[in-house]
Amino acid sequence: MTAALSIDNLRVTYQGAHGQHVAVQDFSWAVEAGQIACLLGPSGCGKTTVLRTIAGFEPLSAGSIRLGDVLLSSPQIHLPPERRRVGMMFQEYALFPHLTAAQNVAFGLRRWAAADISPRVAEMLTLVGLPDAGRRYPHELSGGQQQRVALARAMAPTPALLLLDEPFSNLDSATRERLSVEVRDILHRAGQTAVLVTHNQAEAHTMADQIRVLGAHS
Ligand code: ADP
Ligand code: MG
């Protein structure tokens, strides 16, 4: 079976004032369809760089990234982010404060047929356990509820792969523990293939079907 995501010998470098800085080197990884795979490692080890490269926001200098049979990135090929079928839920991607929860979820569906949008929004809000929150604004929701709306927004356009970068780090530890279980169950129920990045070992063990430890210099 073809892995949903396969990364082979990835190398990503940044151009700094004092020459090239290698952020990720010789990184290979495979994630099966429907899995929640976790990349665990300390700050600065290159986790966000791997996700940004999968999403198409960073070029790679060696290796390749495939989603199913589609080559997303190689030194010669760079599919633009909007054509990758990759969704993201990043900690810094807060909800739009001036839009309701439903409008936030609909944001990624701008290219959908009008008649399909509101049923999809309702379906996604139900999936994340907030069927009645559509008219509420972010400031009327708790931090955990806001992150569940952000999850609904990321999953609404049916991405083949969902990337989650430290999605719970702005929350208190009780909310964080509860939400990691909830989000794991939501992703499994939807059969969503996902890559979670965290430096929190407990979170990785709660959520992941597969954990890959990224060392400070791997
Ligand atoms: P993590 O998410 O694991 O904390 P990052 O992927 O953000 O790690 O960073 C990996 C390394 O690449 C770090 O040494 C960081 O300083 C460097 N880095 C990250 N982004 C940039 C950038 N835009 N320009 C230059 N260096 C960067
Ligand atoms: Mg990071």
Side-chain angles (χ1 to χ4, degrees), residues 50-92:
V50 171
L51 287 197
R52 288 181 53 82
T53 310
I54 296 170
F57 297 124
E58 300 292 345
L60 49 71
S61 55
S64 65
I65 300 175
R66 285 187 168 74
L67 191 56
D69 297 328
V70 182
L71 178 59
L72 300 182
S73 288
S74 76
Q76 292 80 31
I77 301 280
H78 185 89
L79 204 64
E82 66 276 11
R83 291 184 48 206
R84 294 189 172 215
R85 297 202 58 208
V86 172
M88 279 171 304
M89 182 173 151
F90 286 8
Q91 159 200 341
E92 65 270 27

